[in-house]
Amino acid sequence: MSEIRELRPVLEVCDRLMAEAGCDFVGLAIQNTVGPDVRWHYAAGNLNDKYERITVRFGKGIAGKIISSGSAMMLADFPNDIFGKVTDYPIMLAEKLVSSYAVPLFFNAVPKGVLLIGKRESFTFPEHVQYQVKDAAEALEQLLKEHL
Amino acid sequence: MEAKSNQQISSYIIQSQEEEIKRISIELHEGVGQNLYSILTGLQFIESGSQEPQLKNHLREMSQLIEKTIQEIRLLSVELYPPVLTTLGLLPAMKSYIKLYTSTFGILVDLESAGTEKWLPENSRIAVFRVCQEALTNIVKYADTSNVKINFIWTEDELKITINDYGKGFQPDEQEDSIQSSGLAAMQERMLLTGGQCTISSKIGEGTSIELSLPLKD
């Protein structure tokens, strides 16, 4: 799975999304081929390399909740109005994100990944940006389905 | 007299909370976790005997979901109360917590221990562990750093622990009313209740240093 960062079309989709959505951060988390662990495999606009060491906890934080529920999720003003503790949102803390919007990536109809965009300021992502993220997620599903 | 009574009440409340946390942790691990494991084994058995590809696929997905749930239950249980703290002691429990901490928050922790580890009474073990946990949680929330250094120094009559975060630091006198300050005061109080001390120093741009000391009595 470490080769995701070497798949140029995948990186292009993420980088294009970052430019089009005008966000500060894009992260791609995918479930490992062996075992249930979900890790952040690629990030753009990152401030540090913490994301490489973070394992997404099932059902916790923005990515964990998306994988467990299969639904998109938005945080407009982190850490206000969150469910659970601040420390349940490691990627928000690691990247100093204040707002984020994330969608699941489905493989064989099962959510096994997350595409997340974020900003380092309070922000409500409008509908057209949400569609951009969903379109990018669909493109990534096509590109990655052979690798999973 | 009143101060002593307040201290006893605080100790009693903390001890009761710790006992409850330990009970929930064990219940999650030994009860819920074990039951889920039995369900997983059952599903895998049914899957191996099934000839229907669609059913097989469905059973595999369900097994994976239960596997993830078991893993999360175990992590929750260990987070609440690490069993290693009872079986192997403070240092192994810290090493185990640090592994979980790095994989959760991406912050690297370098832990070194000098001297021979002594077996601490349960209350002291839990108190020191909780104060270290609180310090590490504060680092995630406020320090803006990727590296932490922890030193354990064991001597005949004292355990000294230093935690340095090399982060952005803070102005201690400007934090008086903040949540962060309450957390720091709680750490100091907890060490005092167990007979030890906690000193916190910080400088903007240079990071925060926490020094814990605990007298070791025979």
Side-chain angles (χ1 to χ4, degrees), chain A residues 31 35-37 48-50 53-58 60 67 86-87 90 93-94 96 108 110-112, chain B residues 57 61 64-65 67-69 71-72 75-76 79 100 102-108 137 140-141 144-146:
Chain A
Q31 186 175 328
D37 277 357
N48 50 60
D49 60 355
K50 285 182 197 174
R53 293 185 287 270
I54 293 175
T55 300
V56 173
R57 299 268 298 264
F58 185 63
K60 274 199 169 186
I67 298 260
V86 175
T87 46
L93 291 166
K96 296 191 197 174
N108 292 325
V110 179
K112 288 192 173 175
Chain B
N57 206 23
E61 297 297 350
Q64 279 179 1
L65 181 63
E67 236 180 297
K68 284 183 211 165
T69 312
Q71 191 193 39
E72 191 51 39
L75 287 174
L76 266 177
E79 252 182 352
L100 180 61
T102 300
S103 71
T104 305
F105 301 111
I107 297 174
L108 293 167
T137 303
V140 172
K141 290 187 198 166
D144 190 15
T145 186
S146 296

Side-chain angles (χ1 to χ4, degrees), chain B residues 18-142:
Chain B
E18 285 297 346
E19 278 168 13
E20 191 59 5
I21 289 171
K22 193 174 176 180
R23 188 189 68 78
I24 295 168
S25 165
I26 291 170
E27 187 57 38
L28 281 173
H29 196 266
E30 314 281 313
V32 181
Q34 285 304 317
N35 288 347
L36 285 172
Y37 193 76
S38 300
I39 295 170
L40 176 66
T41 317
L43 281 175
Q44 286 168 339
F45 178 71
I46 298 169
E47 188 205 326
S48 66
S50 166
Q51 305 297 321
E52 175 80 41
Q54 222 175 342
L55 180 66
K56 244 177 140 56
N57 206 23
H58 187 54
L59 285 166
R60 196 170 305 132
E61 297 297 350
M62 279 170 75
S63 298
Q64 279 179 1
L65 181 63
I66 289 182
E67 236 180 297
K68 284 183 211 165
T69 312
I70 291 171
Q71 191 193 39
E72 191 51 39
I73 292 273
R74 279 189 185 147
L75 287 174
L76 266 177
S77 167
V78 169
E79 252 182 352
L80 284 170
Y81 189 93
V84 179
L85 198 54
T86 311
T87 53
L88 299 174
L90 179 64
L91 195 57
M94 276 307 295
K95 285 180 182 167
S96 158
Y97 178 72
I98 282 165
K99 262 191 200 168
L100 180 61
Y101 180 82
T102 300
S103 71
T104 305
F105 301 111
I107 297 174
L108 293 167
V109 183
D110 178 15
L111 188 149
E112 273 181 28
S113 177
T116 312
E117 183 180 5
K118 308 266 184 332
W119 190 253
L120 305 176
E122 191 178 16
N123 284 352
S124 304
R125 236 180 298 154
I126 296 173
V128 174
F129 182 79
R130 293 294 185 216
V131 171
C132 290
Q133 244 183 343
E134 178 72 23
L136 288 167
T137 303
N138 282 340
I139 289 169
V140 172
K141 290 187 198 166
Y142 309 112

Side-chain angles (χ1 to χ4, degrees), chain A:
Chain A
M1 283 297 290
S2 56
E3 71 271 22
I4 280 187
R5 234 169 293 171
E6 289 150 28
L7 295 174
R8 188 172 282 275
V10 171
L11 313 195
E12 280 170 3
V13 171
C14 293
D15 294 344
R16 199 181 315 126
L17 175 63
M18 187 156 137
E20 282 173 3
C23 56
D24 302 317
F25 177 83
V26 172
L28 174 64
I30 303 280
Q31 186 175 328
N32 289 353
T33 34
V34 179
D37 277 357
V38 178
R39 301 183 69 105
W40 295 99
H41 285 269
Y42 178 69
N46 51 306
L47 299 174
N48 50 60
D49 60 355
K50 285 182 197 174
Y51 79 92
E52 290 176 13
R53 293 185 287 270
I54 293 175
T55 300
V56 173
R57 299 268 298 264
F58 185 63
K60 274 199 169 186
I62 190 157
K65 281 200 172 66
I66 286 165
I67 298 260
S68 62
S69 70
S71 317
M73 188 176 161
M74 177 152 59
L75 290 178
D77 188 21
F78 181 80
N80 297 313
D81 304 321
I82 55 163
F83 181 80
K85 297 185 293 181
V86 175
T87 46
D88 287 344
Y89 298 79
I91 198 70
M92 302 293 287
L93 291 166
E95 286 296 330
K96 296 191 197 174
L97 300 176
V98 182
S99 54
S100 64
Y101 177 72
V103 297
L105 261 65
F106 287 89
F107 298 97
N108 292 325
V110 179
K112 288 192 173 175
V114 174
L115 179 64
L116 177 144
I117 63 167
K119 280 171 97 80
R120 297 187 179 95
E121 61 187 8
S122 170
F123 187 72
T124 302
F125 293 92
E127 216 164 279
H128 75 274
V129 175
Q130 294 180 28
Y131 280 117
Q132 284 171 343
V133 182
K134 281 173 188 158
D135 288 345
E138 277 173 26
L140 289 171
E141 284 167 0
Q142 293 305 315
L143 289 167
L144 289 167
K145 67 179 174 191
E146 289 151 26
H147 291 265
L148 290 169

Side-chain angles (χ1 to χ4, degrees), chain B residues 167-186:
Chain B
K168 64 180 183 186
F170 63 92
Q171 201 72 51
D173 48 344
E174 282 175 13
Q175 302 287 318
E176 269 170 21
D177 297 322
S178 68
I179 298 169
Q180 186 182 2
S181 146
S182 306
L184 299 176

